[in-house]
Amino acid sequence: MTATAEIGKARLRKEDRHLVTGRSRFTDNMVLPGMLHLAMVRSPYAHAKITAIDTAAAKSSPGVMAVLTGADVAGEQGSLPNAWPITPDQKAPAHGAIAVEEVAFAGEVAAVIVARSAAAARDAVELVDVSYEELPVVMDLEEAFTDKVLAHTALESNLSATWVFDSAEAGTGSSVQDAIDNAEVLIERTLYQQRLIPAFMEPRSTVVDPTGEQITMWSATQIPHILRLMLALTLGIPESKVRVIAPDVGGGFGGKLQVTPEEVITVLAARHTGKPCKYTETRSESLQAGHHGRAQVQRLKLSARKDGTVTGLSVNLLADMGAYLGLVTSGIPILGAFMYNSIYKFPAYRFECHNIFTNKTWTDAYRGAGRPEATFAIERMMDELATELGMDPLAVREKNWIRHEEFPFTTVAGLEYDTGNYEAATAKAVDLFDYQGLRAEQKRRRDANDPVQLGIGVSTFTEMCGLAPSRVLGSLSYGAGGWEHAQVRVLPTGNIEVVTGSSAHGQGHETAWSQLVADRLGVPFENVEVLHGDTQISQRGLDTYGSRSLTVGGMAVLAAADKVIEKAKVVAAHLMEASEADIEFAAGSFTVKGTDQSTTLGEIALATFAAHNLPDGFEPNLDSDATFDPVNFSYPHGTHLAAIEVDTETGHVGILKYVCVDDVGVVVNPLLVEGQVHGGLAQGIAQALYEEAAYDDAGTLVTGSFVDYLVPSAPDLPHYITGRTETPATSNQLGAKGVGEAGTIASTPAIVNGVLDAVRHLGVRDIKMPCTPSRVWHALQDAKTTGGVQ
């Protein structure tokens, strides 16, 4: 499809009207008659047995209606779901929403207060006396792999599962060991992905009303349809008796792609009391007990020839599951398995992942989910190879990337990249960046021994997104499909309602879907209403994550719109006494070929509603449903370049210039794309320079507030220079590729490579993320004697 009246137009977001005028409806805004409030009693210990719980004082506290313990609900709470058992022998501890006998991380729920007000509930938390018997804790991932200390007394090992992909065994490449044994150059590095916290703007909140025929839940969630199904399975409730509504949701980033203990607990409390119940977490609870992301040790070997041609890549991964397996915890590292080879033509590849339990908050999806970890690793290794060979980092990448004329290209990991043009994106980025000019400035500062050194960070990337192909997901033992559903309803007035199974939490679905339908049906943009986020309105769907909304959900919307056109053609032909084969449709009107006879979609909608003159057997509506399940992922790509200033006297890192050129296929709304890129860049830069969830040896989160967990604000971030190239995807009729995670995936290695490029000539070999002033300064001091690993 080419750009038309709506496709490619920078429309302002429909969603913003009520947000900026104070008419938003977040879950915590919900007030129901007789509603009770919950507060959680959380374990201060990372690993302990619960020996006794005294709730008497709390129960007699003013306003308290009930106190629930794990023992009280042990027979009904079930175990929180893991929908991705990556191996048949995967081990996982039972995970009740409320701990019964043992807690495995600091922050796990040990009891629940149900009170008439939130304040009364919080006050009563202090009155619950839980007796604990402390158990040994294991916090370090590499130590946990040795099994010297067990994260769960019921398990014999901290190893949950081992998953391997070997290109020689899969028939997609040759032997990695042979490549390593015959390498002219061998690069070996161990890299660390720190823990990150999805610091969404709106804390998680849940309201449950048990008083009607159904249990109705309002939740700040990315996954209302999946949540409904999992609640039914976990609690043994008929699915038809559960309704989940995701109202306005203030961000997610994967952090709300979860069936949370608190959601289950709120249902249990509502059922026990027979009254509506609400739970809204504090920010500290969000940081402590909401799932975290990343947390990996990456051991890599890259073999190459002396001319810079790569010959093999070996990845050995330790992935921190934390204390439990959440909804897709175990599969997150596996998503990255297919992306370590990135845009490069590796002839041999082996990936081995060990999923390990520790006594920390469990990990799960966080923006990019496995792909940022893989991109960071390979882009760091390509820079290391360039350094070893004395080559320009762009030159070593160009020598190995897939060229545009080689698409479609089947990678060593077995994926088929349908389209791309890495040369065009890189050339445009280099031009916008003034690459040679900045290299000259870098040399000038080095020659002058300037205390503020300049580094050039390079990151070229691709990602598998549009998380969808059901058969592929099935081959990976994922517990669901990846299709998406939509319905397009034509009202008697000619206005359009779009019902979508993908549920937005800031992406702009209402705007983009309106543009798609307005463009396809030839109706005004303002006459399209988009409905989503309520399982009673949108009855089928698989929700929002993995940059799948447009490339999967949007294609379902277009397919439903096309069905509307075909149904309307039948009526148009009947009304104009013509053959269906002679009916042409364009810009909202149906015309008899070769004549001036025409009728509009609105006129057909009214005639269909009246049903006075319809073809025999034609049902009186134009409404159409469609489900889309692509046969392949989509593969956006891009080149990101960062000019980084490092003050060698203080360790301070500043971003002098940041340029990114992304190829996301056909763009529906450039304003939305720009917003997604900017937001993604902020989060990727944050990992490189600011964010880390840190624990002490006892298992206490020491970054439990925004005083300690550093999230950058606008003054901390640069002005971005962005550009786009376009190679349309072939996996969907629009030619679109995902964009929601691109900025996050590409920016982290660009920044870290830039920091190292600024100080590598001073002897610094590596700096662990985040590259804080302290770590950079210590690396510079250590470089004088130890090579600077920090």
Side-chain angles (χ1 to χ4, degrees):
M1 294 179 60
T2 56
T4 62
E6 286 296 337
I7 302 299
K9 188 172 185 176
R11 285 272 191 186
L12 294 176
R13 299 197 328 164
K14 284 186 173 183
E15 297 88 334
D16 291 343
R17 297 171 189 166
H18 73 282
L19 292 172
V20 301
T21 56
R23 290 179 288 170
S24 55
R25 197 184 193 203
F26 295 99
T27 303
D28 192 49
N29 298 137
M30 295 292 302
V31 178
L32 301 179
M35 186 171 70
L36 303 178
H37 298 260
L38 309 186
M40 306 299 164
V41 179
R42 297 185 181 275
S43 169
Y45 299 106
H47 196 196
K49 289 182 179 178
I50 298 174
T51 58
I53 301 180
D54 185 352
T55 62
K59 286 180 177 177
S60 62
S61 181
V64 172
M65 304 297 291
V67 181
L68 299 178
T69 67
D72 295 331
V73 298
E76 59 181 304
Q77 70 172 343
S79 182
L80 291 166
N82 172 247
W84 201 339
I86 61 170
T87 64
D89 61 349
Q90 173 179 287
K91 296 178 178 64
H95 186 191
I98 308 176
V100 179
E101 297 177 345
E102 183 175 314
V103 292
F105 71 96
E108 187 166 359
V109 177
V112 181
I113 306 294
V114 186
R116 294 189 181 277
S117 70
R122 288 193 297 267
D123 288 345
V125 164
E126 304 299 325
L127 302 177
V128 177
D129 185 8
V130 184
S131 297
Y132 297 96
E133 179 185 317
E134 289 189 68
L135 295 169
V137 300
V138 58
M139 304 302 293
D140 180 78
L141 183 56
E142 292 171 287
E143 180 187 346
F145 194 38
T146 69
D147 288 335
K148 291 179 180 178
V149 177
L150 296 179
H152 292 272
T153 57
L155 299 181
E156 297 178 352
S157 171
N158 293 323
L159 179 64
S160 175
T162 295
W163 192 91
V164 177
F165 177 88
D166 191 302
S167 63
E169 295 176 2
T172 58
S174 54
S175 166
V176 167
Q177 192 58 53
D178 287 349
I180 291 172
D181 291 343
N182 297 302
E184 296 177 2
V185 179
L186 183 63
I187 308 294
E188 297 185 64
R189 298 290 186 271
T190 298
L191 305 176
Y192 297 89
Q193 287 278 327
Q194 77 270 38
R195 274 181 168 254
L196 300 175
I197 299 174
F200 31 69
M201 187 175 293
E202 176 207 16
R204 297 173 303 160
S205 182
T206 302
V207 173
V208 173
D209 184 358
T211 59
E213 290 295 317
Q214 295 175 309
I215 291 175
T216 301
M217 171 184 282
W218 292 262
S219 184
T221 182
Q222 297 175 223
I223 52 168
H225 296 89
I226 294 173
L227 178 56
R228 178 194 188 207
L229 172 61
M230 292 302 177
L231 286 173
L233 293 174
T234 301
L235 296 174
I237 307 169
E239 190 179 356
S240 62
K241 297 297 183 183
V242 182
R243 178 185 183 185
V244 175
I245 302 170
D248 290 322
V249 177
F253 313 124
K256 294 173 183 173
L257 199 178
Q258 194 59 261
V259 180
T260 70
E262 294 84 0
E263 286 164 331
V264 172
I265 288 169
T266 308
V267 174
L268 292 171
R271 292 173 72 181
H272 271 253
T273 61
K275 293 181 177 295
C277 289
K278 176 195 283 188
Y279 170 74
T280 300
E281 67 185 1
T282 65
R283 181 60 67 179
S284 292
E285 286 180 300
S286 179
L287 296 173
Q288 180 189 45
H291 77 244
H292 295 172
R294 312 287 192 258
Q296 297 179 358
V297 176
Q298 302 168 310
R299 297 166 176 160
L300 303 116
K301 296 179 182 179
L302 187 152
S303 61
R305 294 199 289 266
K306 288 182 180 179
D307 66 355
T309 303
V310 296
T311 60
L313 179 66
S314 172
V315 179
N316 190 289
L317 197 68
L318 299 183
D320 189 355
M321 304 291 96
Y324 296 103
L325 299 183
L327 191 64
V328 291
T329 301
S330 43
I332 296 302
I334 307 310
L335 285 174
F338 301 97
M339 286 285 101
Y340 277 86
N341 52 283
S342 188
I343 66 173
Y344 307 115
K345 293 182 286 189
F346 280 97
Y349 171 57
R350 189 176 193 278
F351 173 92
E352 182 173 326
C353 176
H354 308 280
N355 285 353
I356 310 296
F357 291 117
T358 61
N359 292 119
K360 299 179 181 179
T361 303
W362 76 90
T363 58
D364 211 303
Y366 175 62
R367 196 170 190 170
R371 282 77 50 82
E373 297 93 309
T375 299
F376 176 81
I378 188 57
E379 288 305 289
R380 287 282 295 105
M381 293 297 281
M382 294 303 284
D383 257 35
E384 293 297 307
L385 176 61
T387 299
E388 179 74 17
L389 297 174
M391 294 179 66
D392 184 279
L394 279 174
V396 79
R397 287 167 169 82
E398 182 177 6
K399 189 171 190 64
N400 291 287
W401 67 37
I402 304 159
R403 304 198 67 81
H404 71 275
E405 64 268 16
E406 295 178 290
F407 289 96
F409 185 91
T410 300
T411 74
V412 73
L415 296 181
E416 184 182 277
Y417 295 176
D418 59 341
T419 64
N421 192 328
Y422 310 137
E423 305 99 298
T426 302
K428 189 169 184 177
V430 166
D431 182 56
L432 291 171
F433 190 68
D434 185 20
Y435 188 82
Q436 295 305 325
L438 285 166
R439 283 294 184 198
E441 171 64 13
Q442 180 186 56
K443 183 179 185 304
R444 186 197 68 76
R445 293 195 193 191
R446 288 183 180 181
D447 291 345
N449 198 26
D450 194 311
V452 179
Q453 288 292 303
L454 181 66
I456 308 301
V458 176
S459 175
T460 50
F461 84 103
T462 189
E463 60 156 324
M464 52 184 281
C465 66
L467 190 62
S470 295
R471 292 184 179 182
V472 176
L473 295 176
S475 71
L476 296 173
S477 302
Y478 183 66
W483 50 265
E484 194 49 80
H485 180 265
Q487 181 183 50
V488 173
R489 302 172 182 166
V490 184
L491 305 180
T493 57
N495 287 3
I496 307 295
E497 286 181 342
V498 178
V499 181
T500 173
S502 57
S503 178
H505 45 279
Q507 294 89 340
H509 289 183
E510 294 177 30
T511 303
W513 282 203
S514 294
Q515 289 181 266
L516 288 177
V517 173
D519 194 82
R520 185 58 60 92
L521 297 184
V523 299
F525 170 81
E526 295 76 13
N527 290 3
V528 182
E529 186 79 15
V530 179
L531 307 175
H532 61 89
D534 183 340
T535 61
Q536 195 135 298
I537 294 173
S538 170
Q539 298 173 353
R540 291 185 291 279
L542 285 171
D543 306 317
T544 300
Y545 41 85
S547 298
R548 68 190 300 273
S549 291
L550 177 59
T551 57
V552 188
M555 296 312 109
V557 170
L558 281 179
D562 287 340
K563 287 184 178 181
V564 166
I565 294 169
E566 293 308 309
K567 288 179 74 172
K569 279 184 177 180
V570 175
V571 180
H574 178 77
L575 294 176
M576 293 188 288
E577 299 180 347
S579 167
E580 288 179 36
D582 291 333
I583 300 298
E584 297 178 333
F585 176 76
S589 292
F590 296 85
T591 305
V592 179
K593 188 186 304 182
T595 75
D596 59 0
Q597 278 188 285
S598 68
T599 184
T600 67
L601 178 63
E603 290 168 339
I604 292 174
L606 185 58
T608 304
F609 169 74
H612 297 161
N613 183 19
L614 294 179
D616 292 341
F618 190 93
E619 296 181 355
N621 70 80
L622 300 177
D623 301 349
S624 297
D625 292 74
T627 299
F628 181 72
D629 193 349
V631 297
N632 195 4
F633 301 100
S634 70
Y635 299 96
H637 68 82
T639 298
H640 290 221
L641 302 173
I644 304 297
E645 293 184 313
V646 176
D647 189 325
T648 59
E649 297 176 344
T650 66
H652 178 265
V653 175
I655 304 174
L656 178 66
K657 191 174 187 179
Y658 196 100
V659 167
C660 63
V661 175
D662 290 299
D663 186 332
V664 297
V666 173
V667 170
V668 174
N669 185 323
L671 192 64
L672 296 181
V673 167
E674 197 79 352
Q676 288 291 303
V677 170
H678 281 212
L681 292 174
Q683 288 184 284
I685 292 169
Q687 177 173 8
L689 299 180
Y690 297 99
E691 296 186 30
E692 181 176 25
Y695 289 82
D696 64 19
D697 291 340
T700 301
L701 182 70
V702 297
T703 52
S705 75
F706 283 153
V707 173
D708 308 295
Y709 188 82
L710 303 182
V711 177
S713 60
D716 301 309
L717 297 168
H719 172 76
Y720 309 121
I721 300 172
T722 62
R724 286 195 303 275
T725 56
E726 182 181 305
T727 54
T730 61
S731 56
N732 61 77
Q733 62 164 302
L734 185 64
K737 303 176 182 180
V739 69
E741 296 158 312
T744 302
I745 290 169
S747 57
T748 304
I751 297 297
V752 175
N753 280 341
V755 172
L756 290 171
D757 188 56
V759 296
R760 189 180 277 110
H761 69 290
L762 300 176
V764 177
R765 294 174 51 222
D766 194 17
I767 303 171
K768 287 184 181 179
M769 294 188 291
C771 299
T772 61
S774 175
R775 284 183 174 168
V776 173
W777 186 85
H778 278 99
L780 286 163
Q781 304 312 306
D782 293 346
K784 298 172 183 177
T785 55
T786 66
V789 177
Q790 183 66 29

